[in-house]
PDB file of all heavy atoms in Angstrom:
ATOM      1  N   PHE A   1      -0.154  -7.345   5.065  1.00 94.00           N
ATOM      2  CA  PHE A   1       0.345  -6.618   6.203  1.00 94.00           C
ATOM      3  C   PHE A   1       1.753  -6.143   5.897  1.00 94.00           C
ATOM      4  O   PHE A   1       2.624  -6.903   5.482  1.00 94.00           O
ATOM      5  CB  PHE A   1       0.396  -7.571   7.448  1.00 94.00           C
ATOM      6  CG  PHE A   1      -0.956  -7.968   7.978  1.00 94.00           C
ATOM      7  CD1 PHE A   1      -1.719  -8.872   7.219  1.00 94.00           C
ATOM      8  CD2 PHE A   1      -1.510  -7.422   9.114  1.00 94.00           C
ATOM      9  CE1 PHE A   1      -2.956  -9.317   7.709  1.00 94.00           C
ATOM     10  CE2 PHE A   1      -2.753  -7.848   9.563  1.00 94.00           C
ATOM     11  CZ  PHE A   1      -3.442  -8.794   8.842  1.00 94.00           C
ATOM     12  N   THR A   2       2.053  -4.869   6.088  1.00 92.00           N
ATOM     13  CA  THR A   2       3.353  -4.304   5.762  1.00 92.00           C
ATOM     14  C   THR A   2       3.593  -3.063   6.624  1.00 92.00           C
ATOM     15  O   THR A   2       2.673  -2.338   6.985  1.00 92.00           O
ATOM     16  CB  THR A   2       3.497  -3.984   4.271  1.00 92.00           C
ATOM     17  OG1 THR A   2       4.811  -3.570   3.996  1.00 92.00           O
ATOM     18  CG2 THR A   2       2.494  -2.913   3.841  1.00 92.00           C
ATOM     19  N   GLY A   3       4.913  -2.790   6.837  1.00 91.00           N
ATOM     20  CA  GLY A   3       5.290  -1.539   7.415  1.00 91.00           C
ATOM     21  C   GLY A   3       5.880  -0.634   6.400  1.00 91.00           C
ATOM     22  O   GLY A   3       6.088   0.556   6.686  1.00 91.00           O
ATOM     23  N   THR A   4       6.136  -1.123   5.191  1.00 90.00           N
ATOM     24  CA  THR A   4       6.807  -0.313   4.149  1.00 90.00           C
ATOM     25  C   THR A   4       6.141  -0.604   2.791  1.00 90.00           C
ATOM     26  O   THR A   4       6.724  -1.293   1.968  1.00 90.00           O
ATOM     27  CB  THR A   4       8.304  -0.661   4.093  1.00 90.00           C
ATOM     28  OG1 THR A   4       8.457  -2.092   3.957  1.00 90.00           O
ATOM     29  CG2 THR A   4       9.023  -0.125   5.339  1.00 90.00           C
ATOM     30  N   PRO A   5       4.944  -0.083   2.505  1.00 90.00           N
ATOM     31  CA  PRO A   5       4.291  -0.314   1.275  1.00 90.00           C
ATOM     32  C   PRO A   5       5.159   0.299   0.107  1.00 90.00           C
ATOM     33  O   PRO A   5       5.759   1.352   0.349  1.00 90.00           O
ATOM     34  CB  PRO A   5       2.919   0.368   1.379  1.00 90.00           C
ATOM     35  CG  PRO A   5       3.109   1.364   2.532  1.00 90.00           C
ATOM     36  CD  PRO A   5       4.103   0.762   3.429  1.00 90.00           C
ATOM     37  N   VAL A   6       5.158  -0.287  -1.017  1.00 87.00           N
ATOM     38  CA  VAL A   6       5.994   0.127  -2.118  1.00 87.00           C
ATOM     39  C   VAL A   6       5.077   0.657  -3.250  1.00 87.00           C
ATOM     40  O   VAL A   6       4.109   0.043  -3.638  1.00 87.00           O
ATOM     41  CB  VAL A   6       6.857  -0.998  -2.642  1.00 87.00           C
ATOM     42  CG1 VAL A   6       7.606  -0.642  -3.912  1.00 87.00           C
ATOM     43  CG2 VAL A   6       7.812  -1.495  -1.602  1.00 87.00           C
ATOM     44  N   VAL A   7       5.501   1.785  -3.814  1.00 86.00           N
ATOM     45  CA  VAL A   7       4.840   2.361  -5.056  1.00 86.00           C
ATOM     46  C   VAL A   7       5.925   2.699  -6.004  1.00 86.00           C
ATOM     47  O   VAL A   7       6.679   3.639  -5.836  1.00 86.00           O
ATOM     48  CB  VAL A   7       3.992   3.544  -4.710  1.00 86.00           C
ATOM     49  CG1 VAL A   7       3.327   4.120  -5.992  1.00 86.00           C
ATOM     50  CG2 VAL A   7       2.904   3.253  -3.728  1.00 86.00           C
ATOM     51  N   GLU A   8       5.989   1.924  -7.067  1.00 83.00           N
ATOM     52  CA  GLU A   8       7.063   2.164  -8.120  1.00 83.00           C
ATOM     53  C   GLU A   8       6.390   2.688  -9.359  1.00 83.00           C
ATOM     54  O   GLU A   8       5.264   2.389  -9.678  1.00 83.00           O
ATOM     55  CB  GLU A   8       7.789   0.858  -8.406  1.00 83.00           C
ATOM     56  CG  GLU A   8       8.614   0.335  -7.241  1.00 83.00           C
ATOM     57  CD  GLU A   8       9.342  -0.967  -7.644  1.00 83.00           C
ATOM     58  OE1 GLU A   8       8.950  -1.653  -8.567  1.00 83.00           O
ATOM     59  OE2 GLU A   8      10.285  -1.297  -6.861  1.00 83.00           O
ATOM     60  N   ASP A   9       7.156   3.508 -10.103  1.00 80.00           N
ATOM     61  CA  ASP A   9       6.683   4.069 -11.361  1.00 80.00           C
ATOM     62  C   ASP A   9       6.626   3.032 -12.467  1.00 80.00           C
ATOM     63  O   ASP A   9       7.281   1.978 -12.372  1.00 80.00           O
ATOM     64  CB  ASP A   9       7.584   5.229 -11.799  1.00 80.00           C
ATOM     65  CG  ASP A   9       7.564   6.369 -10.832  1.00 80.00           C
ATOM     66  OD1 ASP A   9       6.519   6.577 -10.184  1.00 80.00           O
ATOM     67  OD2 ASP A   9       8.580   7.108 -10.749  1.00 80.00           O
ATOM     68  N   GLY A  10       5.785   3.280 -13.400  1.00 71.00           N
ATOM     69  CA  GLY A  10       5.702   2.414 -14.599  1.00 71.00           C
ATOM     70  C   GLY A  10       4.620   1.361 -14.464  1.00 71.00           C
ATOM     71  O   GLY A  10       4.218   0.974 -13.307  1.00 71.00           O
ATOM     72  N   LYS A  11       4.194   0.858 -15.564  1.00 70.00           N
ATOM     73  CA  LYS A  11       3.123  -0.184 -15.637  1.00 70.00           C
ATOM     74  C   LYS A  11       3.508  -1.383 -14.913  1.00 70.00           C
ATOM     75  O   LYS A  11       2.670  -2.092 -14.280  1.00 70.00           O
ATOM     76  CB  LYS A  11       2.807  -0.434 -17.112  1.00 70.00           C
ATOM     77  CG  LYS A  11       1.600  -1.370 -17.261  1.00 70.00           C
ATOM     78  CD  LYS A  11       1.319  -1.572 -18.745  1.00 70.00           C
ATOM     79  CE  LYS A  11       0.128  -2.523 -18.903  1.00 70.00           C
ATOM     80  NZ  LYS A  11      -0.167  -2.734 -20.358  1.00 70.00           N
ATOM     81  N   GLU A  12       4.810  -1.829 -15.003  1.00 70.00           N
ATOM     82  CA  GLU A  12       5.290  -3.044 -14.387  1.00 70.00           C
ATOM     83  C   GLU A  12       5.804  -2.804 -12.949  1.00 70.00           C
ATOM     84  O   GLU A  12       6.267  -3.737 -12.289  1.00 70.00           O
ATOM     85  CB  GLU A  12       6.352  -3.661 -15.278  1.00 70.00           C
ATOM     86  CG  GLU A  12       5.948  -3.955 -16.654  1.00 70.00           C
ATOM     87  CD  GLU A  12       4.781  -4.934 -16.684  1.00 70.00           C
ATOM     88  OE1 GLU A  12       4.722  -5.882 -15.815  1.00 70.00           O
ATOM     89  OE2 GLU A  12       3.904  -4.783 -17.577  1.00 70.00           O
ATOM     90  N   GLY A  13       5.771  -1.552 -12.455  1.00 76.00           N
ATOM     91  CA  GLY A  13       6.315  -1.249 -11.125  1.00 76.00           C
ATOM     92  C   GLY A  13       5.474  -1.856 -10.044  1.00 76.00           C
ATOM     93  O   GLY A  13       4.270  -1.999 -10.157  1.00 76.00           O
ATOM     94  N   ARG A  14       6.124  -2.273  -8.904  1.00 80.00           N
ATOM     95  CA  ARG A  14       5.404  -2.816  -7.829  1.00 80.00           C
ATOM     96  C   ARG A  14       4.559  -1.741  -7.140  1.00 80.00           C
ATOM     97  O   ARG A  14       4.941  -0.653  -7.046  1.00 80.00           O
ATOM     98  CB  ARG A  14       6.388  -3.379  -6.777  1.00 80.00           C
ATOM     99  CG  ARG A  14       7.168  -4.629  -7.277  1.00 80.00           C
ATOM    100  CD  ARG A  14       8.083  -5.148  -6.190  1.00 80.00           C
ATOM    101  NE  ARG A  14       9.093  -4.168  -5.884  1.00 80.00           N
ATOM    102  CZ  ARG A  14       9.717  -4.059  -4.678  1.00 80.00           C
ATOM    103  NH1 ARG A  14       9.411  -4.967  -3.744  1.00 80.00           N
ATOM    104  NH2 ARG A  14      10.662  -3.170  -4.448  1.00 80.00           N
ATOM    105  N   ASN A  15       3.352  -2.159  -6.718  1.00 85.00           N
ATOM    106  CA  ASN A  15       2.508  -1.206  -6.014  1.00 85.00           C
ATOM    107  C   ASN A  15       1.675  -1.979  -4.988  1.00 85.00           C
ATOM    108  O   ASN A  15       0.741  -2.704  -5.315  1.00 85.00           O
ATOM    109  CB  ASN A  15       1.547  -0.546  -7.014  1.00 85.00           C
ATOM    110  CG  ASN A  15       0.808   0.564  -6.416  1.00 85.00           C
ATOM    111  OD1 ASN A  15       0.326   0.494  -5.265  1.00 85.00           O
ATOM    112  ND2 ASN A  15       0.650   1.655  -7.114  1.00 85.00           N
ATOM    113  N   THR A  16       2.068  -1.846  -3.761  1.00 89.00           N
ATOM    114  CA  THR A  16       1.430  -2.649  -2.696  1.00 89.00           C
ATOM    115  C   THR A  16      -0.041  -2.278  -2.532  1.00 89.00           C
ATOM    116  O   THR A  16      -0.886  -3.135  -2.253  1.00 89.00           O
ATOM    117  CB  THR A  16       2.108  -2.387  -1.312  1.00 89.00           C
ATOM    118  OG1 THR A  16       3.560  -2.536  -1.534  1.00 89.00           O
ATOM    119  CG2 THR A  16       1.684  -3.422  -0.261  1.00 89.00           C
ATOM    120  N   PHE A  17      -0.363  -1.000  -2.744  1.00 90.00           N
ATOM    121  CA  PHE A  17      -1.697  -0.544  -2.571  1.00 90.00           C
ATOM    122  C   PHE A  17      -2.608  -1.153  -3.697  1.00 90.00           C
ATOM    123  O   PHE A  17      -3.757  -1.560  -3.463  1.00 90.00           O
ATOM    124  CB  PHE A  17      -1.826   0.959  -2.615  1.00 90.00           C
ATOM    125  CG  PHE A  17      -1.139   1.632  -1.480  1.00 90.00           C
ATOM    126  CD1 PHE A  17       0.150   2.190  -1.647  1.00 90.00           C
ATOM    127  CD2 PHE A  17      -1.718   1.723  -0.239  1.00 90.00           C
ATOM    128  CE1 PHE A  17       0.807   2.776  -0.607  1.00 90.00           C
ATOM    129  CE2 PHE A  17      -1.098   2.332   0.801  1.00 90.00           C
ATOM    130  CZ  PHE A  17       0.203   2.848   0.670  1.00 90.00           C
ATOM    131  N   LYS A  18      -2.110  -1.180  -4.904  1.00 87.00           N
ATOM    132  CA  LYS A  18      -2.793  -1.788  -6.008  1.00 87.00           C
ATOM    133  C   LYS A  18      -3.113  -3.276  -5.760  1.00 87.00           C
ATOM    134  O   LYS A  18      -4.153  -3.748  -6.168  1.00 87.00           O
ATOM    135  CB  LYS A  18      -2.066  -1.571  -7.331  1.00 87.00           C
ATOM    136  CG  LYS A  18      -2.826  -2.097  -8.561  1.00 87.00           C
ATOM    137  CD  LYS A  18      -1.992  -1.778  -9.814  1.00 87.00           C
ATOM    138  CE  LYS A  18      -2.688  -2.299 -11.082  1.00 87.00           C
ATOM    139  NZ  LYS A  18      -1.874  -2.018 -12.321  1.00 87.00           N
ATOM    140  N   GLU A  19      -2.102  -3.961  -5.183  1.00 86.00           N
ATOM    141  CA  GLU A  19      -2.267  -5.411  -4.984  1.00 86.00           C
ATOM    142  C   GLU A  19      -3.291  -5.768  -3.953  1.00 86.00           C
ATOM    143  O   GLU A  19      -3.993  -6.712  -4.060  1.00 86.00           O
ATOM    144  CB  GLU A  19      -0.918  -6.012  -4.667  1.00 86.00           C
ATOM    145  CG  GLU A  19       0.098  -6.060  -5.783  1.00 86.00           C
ATOM    146  CD  GLU A  19      -0.320  -7.033  -6.849  1.00 86.00           C
ATOM    147  OE1 GLU A  19      -1.029  -7.968  -6.605  1.00 86.00           O
ATOM    148  OE2 GLU A  19       0.078  -6.743  -8.061  1.00 86.00           O
ATOM    149  N   PHE A  20      -3.334  -4.918  -2.884  1.00 89.00           N
ATOM    150  CA  PHE A  20      -4.132  -5.277  -1.728  1.00 89.00           C
ATOM    151  C   PHE A  20      -5.295  -4.395  -1.388  1.00 89.00           C
ATOM    152  O   PHE A  20      -6.118  -4.751  -0.610  1.00 89.00           O
ATOM    153  CB  PHE A  20      -3.242  -5.450  -0.459  1.00 89.00           C
ATOM    154  CG  PHE A  20      -2.381  -6.658  -0.552  1.00 89.00           C
ATOM    155  CD1 PHE A  20      -1.026  -6.585  -0.959  1.00 89.00           C
ATOM    156  CD2 PHE A  20      -2.835  -7.910  -0.159  1.00 89.00           C
ATOM    157  CE1 PHE A  20      -0.237  -7.702  -1.040  1.00 89.00           C
ATOM    158  CE2 PHE A  20      -2.038  -9.082  -0.174  1.00 89.00           C
ATOM    159  CZ  PHE A  20      -0.735  -8.911  -0.627  1.00 89.00           C
ATOM    160  N   SER A  21      -5.313  -3.159  -1.906  1.00 87.00           N
ATOM    161  CA  SER A  21      -6.357  -2.217  -1.535  1.00 87.00           C
ATOM    162  C   SER A  21      -7.465  -2.164  -2.620  1.00 87.00           C
ATOM    163  O   SER A  21      -7.167  -2.042  -3.804  1.00 87.00           O
ATOM    164  CB  SER A  21      -5.782  -0.796  -1.359  1.00 87.00           C
ATOM    165  OG  SER A  21      -4.824  -0.777  -0.331  1.00 87.00           O
ATOM    166  N   PRO A  22      -8.714  -2.311  -2.177  1.00 85.00           N
ATOM    167  CA  PRO A  22      -9.819  -2.133  -3.160  1.00 85.00           C
ATOM    168  C   PRO A  22      -9.798  -0.755  -3.765  1.00 85.00           C
ATOM    169  O   PRO A  22      -9.225   0.220  -3.213  1.00 85.00           O
ATOM    170  CB  PRO A  22     -11.094  -2.362  -2.276  1.00 85.00           C
ATOM    171  CG  PRO A  22     -10.577  -3.038  -1.046  1.00 85.00           C
ATOM    172  CD  PRO A  22      -9.177  -2.529  -0.834  1.00 85.00           C
ATOM    173  N   GLU A  23     -10.387  -0.601  -4.922  1.00 83.00           N
ATOM    174  CA  GLU A  23     -10.487   0.731  -5.560  1.00 83.00           C
ATOM    175  C   GLU A  23     -11.117   1.701  -4.580  1.00 83.00           C
ATOM    176  O   GLU A  23     -12.170   1.490  -4.065  1.00 83.00           O
ATOM    177  CB  GLU A  23     -11.268   0.628  -6.833  1.00 83.00           C
ATOM    178  CG  GLU A  23     -11.242   1.916  -7.648  1.00 83.00           C
ATOM    179  CD  GLU A  23     -11.890   1.761  -9.002  1.00 83.00           C
ATOM    180  OE1 GLU A  23     -12.271   0.561  -9.360  1.00 83.00           O
ATOM    181  OE2 GLU A  23     -12.138   2.717  -9.699  1.00 83.00           O
ATOM    182  N   GLY A  24     -10.502   2.864  -4.486  1.00 83.00           N
ATOM    183  CA  GLY A  24     -11.015   3.928  -3.600  1.00 83.00           C
ATOM    184  C   GLY A  24     -10.637   3.829  -2.203  1.00 83.00           C
ATOM    185  O   GLY A  24     -11.062   4.608  -1.350  1.00 83.00           O
ATOM    186  N   GLU A  25      -9.806   2.786  -1.843  1.00 86.00           N
ATOM    187  CA  GLU A  25      -9.388   2.648  -0.410  1.00 86.00           C
ATOM    188  C   GLU A  25      -7.917   2.440  -0.383  1.00 86.00           C
ATOM    189  O   GLU A  25      -7.320   1.621  -1.119  1.00 86.00           O
ATOM    190  CB  GLU A  25     -10.116   1.396   0.177  1.00 86.00           C
ATOM    191  CG  GLU A  25      -9.632   1.080   1.588  1.00 86.00           C
ATOM    192  CD  GLU A  25     -10.237  -0.203   2.101  1.00 86.00           C
ATOM    193  OE1 GLU A  25     -11.514  -0.194   2.453  1.00 86.00           O
ATOM    194  OE2 GLU A  25      -9.620  -1.248   2.134  1.00 86.00           O
ATOM    195  N   ASP A  26      -7.164   3.180   0.502  1.00 88.00           N
ATOM    196  CA  ASP A  26      -5.748   3.045   0.593  1.00 88.00           C
ATOM    197  C   ASP A  26      -5.407   1.899   1.497  1.00 88.00           C
ATOM    198  O   ASP A  26      -4.461   1.111   1.201  1.00 88.00           O
ATOM    199  CB  ASP A  26      -5.111   4.343   1.081  1.00 88.00           C
ATOM    200  CG  ASP A  26      -5.175   5.408   0.029  1.00 88.00           C
ATOM    201  OD1 ASP A  26      -5.121   5.068  -1.189  1.00 88.00           O
ATOM    202  OD2 ASP A  26      -5.166   6.583   0.388  1.00 88.00           O
ATOM    203  N   TYR A  27      -6.059   1.814   2.691  1.00 91.00           N
ATOM    204  CA  TYR A  27      -5.745   0.736   3.585  1.00 91.00           C
ATOM    205  C   TYR A  27      -6.902   0.552   4.592  1.00 91.00           C
ATOM    206  O   TYR A  27      -7.745   1.472   4.771  1.00 91.00           O
ATOM    207  CB  TYR A  27      -4.473   1.086   4.386  1.00 91.00           C
ATOM    208  CG  TYR A  27      -4.405   2.536   4.865  1.00 91.00           C
ATOM    209  CD1 TYR A  27      -5.025   2.945   6.011  1.00 91.00           C
ATOM    210  CD2 TYR A  27      -3.589   3.428   4.149  1.00 91.00           C
ATOM    211  CE1 TYR A  27      -4.971   4.282   6.397  1.00 91.00           C
ATOM    212  CE2 TYR A  27      -3.525   4.779   4.551  1.00 91.00           C
ATOM    213  CZ  TYR A  27      -4.197   5.151   5.698  1.00 91.00           C
ATOM    214  OH  TYR A  27      -4.116   6.468   6.137  1.00 91.00           O
ATOM    215  N   ILE A  28      -6.931  -0.628   5.231  1.00 91.00           N
ATOM    216  CA  ILE A  28      -7.931  -0.860   6.258  1.00 91.00           C
ATOM    217  C   ILE A  28      -7.565  -0.109   7.501  1.00 91.00           C
ATOM    218  O   ILE A  28      -8.411   0.550   8.143  1.00 91.00           O
ATOM    219  CB  ILE A  28      -8.018  -2.369   6.587  1.00 91.00           C
ATOM    220  CG1 ILE A  28      -8.487  -3.124   5.383  1.00 91.00           C
ATOM    221  CG2 ILE A  28      -8.905  -2.629   7.783  1.00 91.00           C
ATOM    222  CD1 ILE A  28      -8.428  -4.638   5.603  1.00 91.00           C
ATOM    223  N   HIS A  29      -6.282  -0.113   7.862  1.00 92.00           N
ATOM    224  CA  HIS A  29      -5.842   0.579   9.116  1.00 92.00           C
ATOM    225  C   HIS A  29      -4.378   0.940   9.015  1.00 92.00           C
ATOM    226  O   HIS A  29      -3.598   0.215   8.298  1.00 92.00           O
ATOM    227  CB  HIS A  29      -6.056  -0.356  10.316  1.00 92.00           C
ATOM    228  CG  HIS A  29      -5.799   0.266  11.645  1.00 92.00           C
ATOM    229  ND1 HIS A  29      -4.607   0.218  12.317  1.00 92.00           N
ATOM    230  CD2 HIS A  29      -6.628   1.127  12.405  1.00 92.00           C
ATOM    231  CE1 HIS A  29      -4.687   0.951  13.426  1.00 92.00           C
ATOM    232  NE2 HIS A  29      -5.886   1.458  13.546  1.00 92.00           N
ATOM    233  N   ARG A  30      -4.018   2.051   9.565  1.00 93.00           N
ATOM    234  CA  ARG A  30      -2.617   2.449   9.552  1.00 93.00           C
ATOM    235  C   ARG A  30      -2.138   2.796  11.001  1.00 93.00           C
ATOM    236  O   ARG A  30      -2.877   3.347  11.747  1.00 93.00           O
ATOM    237  CB  ARG A  30      -2.359   3.666   8.728  1.00 93.00           C
ATOM    238  CG  ARG A  30      -0.867   4.049   8.611  1.00 93.00           C
ATOM    239  CD  ARG A  30      -0.577   5.267   7.792  1.00 93.00           C
ATOM    240  NE  ARG A  30       0.864   5.529   7.794  1.00 93.00           N
ATOM    241  CZ  ARG A  30       1.443   6.606   7.286  1.00 93.00           C
ATOM    242  NH1 ARG A  30       0.622   7.544   6.703  1.00 93.00           N
ATOM    243  NH2 ARG A  30       2.693   6.789   7.336  1.00 93.00           N
ATOM    244  N   TYR A  31      -0.987   2.280  11.337  1.00 93.00           N
ATOM    245  CA  TYR A  31      -0.363   2.601  12.617  1.00 93.00           C
ATOM    246  C   TYR A  31       1.056   3.103  12.289  1.00 93.00           C
ATOM    247  O   TYR A  31       1.938   2.311  11.868  1.00 93.00           O
ATOM    248  CB  TYR A  31      -0.258   1.329  13.498  1.00 93.00           C
ATOM    249  CG  TYR A  31       0.186   1.578  14.937  1.00 93.00           C
ATOM    250  CD1 TYR A  31      -0.622   2.249  15.835  1.00 93.00           C
ATOM    251  CD2 TYR A  31       1.423   1.156  15.315  1.00 93.00           C
ATOM    252  CE1 TYR A  31      -0.229   2.432  17.154  1.00 93.00           C
ATOM    253  CE2 TYR A  31       1.850   1.374  16.614  1.00 93.00           C
ATOM    254  CZ  TYR A  31       1.016   1.950  17.533  1.00 93.00           C
ATOM    255  OH  TYR A  31       1.494   2.175  18.816  1.00 93.00           O
ATOM    256  N   SER A  32       1.283   4.359  12.488  1.00 92.00           N
ATOM    257  CA  SER A  32       2.480   5.035  12.021  1.00 92.00           C
ATOM    258  C   SER A  32       3.599   4.883  13.047  1.00 92.00           C
ATOM    259  O   SER A  32       3.440   4.563  14.212  1.00 92.00           O
ATOM    260  CB  SER A  32       2.240   6.537  11.753  1.00 92.00           C
ATOM    261  OG  SER A  32       1.978   7.197  13.016  1.00 92.00           O
ATOM    262  N   ILE A  33       4.827   5.270  12.610  1.00 90.00           N
ATOM    263  CA  ILE A  33       5.971   5.242  13.452  1.00 90.00           C
ATOM    264  C   ILE A  33       5.852   6.269  14.584  1.00 90.00           C
ATOM    265  O   ILE A  33       6.262   5.973  15.741  1.00 90.00           O
ATOM    266  CB  ILE A  33       7.323   5.454  12.717  1.00 90.00           C
ATOM    267  CG1 ILE A  33       8.481   5.210  13.603  1.00 90.00           C
ATOM    268  CG2 ILE A  33       7.331   6.888  12.122  1.00 90.00           C
ATOM    269  CD1 ILE A  33       9.842   5.164  12.831  1.00 90.00           C
ATOM    270  N   ASP A  34       5.214   7.361  14.312  1.00 90.00           N
ATOM    271  CA  ASP A  34       4.961   8.394  15.350  1.00 90.00           C
ATOM    272  C   ASP A  34       4.063   7.862  16.444  1.00 90.00           C
ATOM    273  O   ASP A  34       4.242   8.107  17.615  1.00 90.00           O
ATOM    274  CB  ASP A  34       4.313   9.657  14.752  1.00 90.00           C
ATOM    275  CG  ASP A  34       5.385  10.426  13.923  1.00 90.00           C
ATOM    276  OD1 ASP A  34       6.601  10.254  14.104  1.00 90.00           O
ATOM    277  OD2 ASP A  34       4.910  11.242  13.057  1.00 90.00           O
TER     278      ASP A  34
END
């Protein structure tokens, strides 16, 4: 659960989507600031 997913460049960069999202899926649900 996050409000600010992180995607960093490089092999060692942090990537919230890679850690928690299955292949082919970005997220289960999104609720935006708008």
Side-chain angles (χ1 to χ4, degrees):
F1 293 74
T2 183
T4 53
V6 174
V7 179
E8 295 179 342
D9 295 333
K11 185 178 180 180
E12 301 300 325
R14 292 181 298 156
N15 189 319
T16 313
F17 297 100
K18 183 178 179 180
E19 289 294 331
F20 287 96
S21 299
E23 186 175 352
E25 175 185 286
D26 288 333
Y27 44 80
I28 296 174
H29 188 263
R30 183 182 181 188
Y31 187 72
S32 68
I33 189 170
D34 289 339

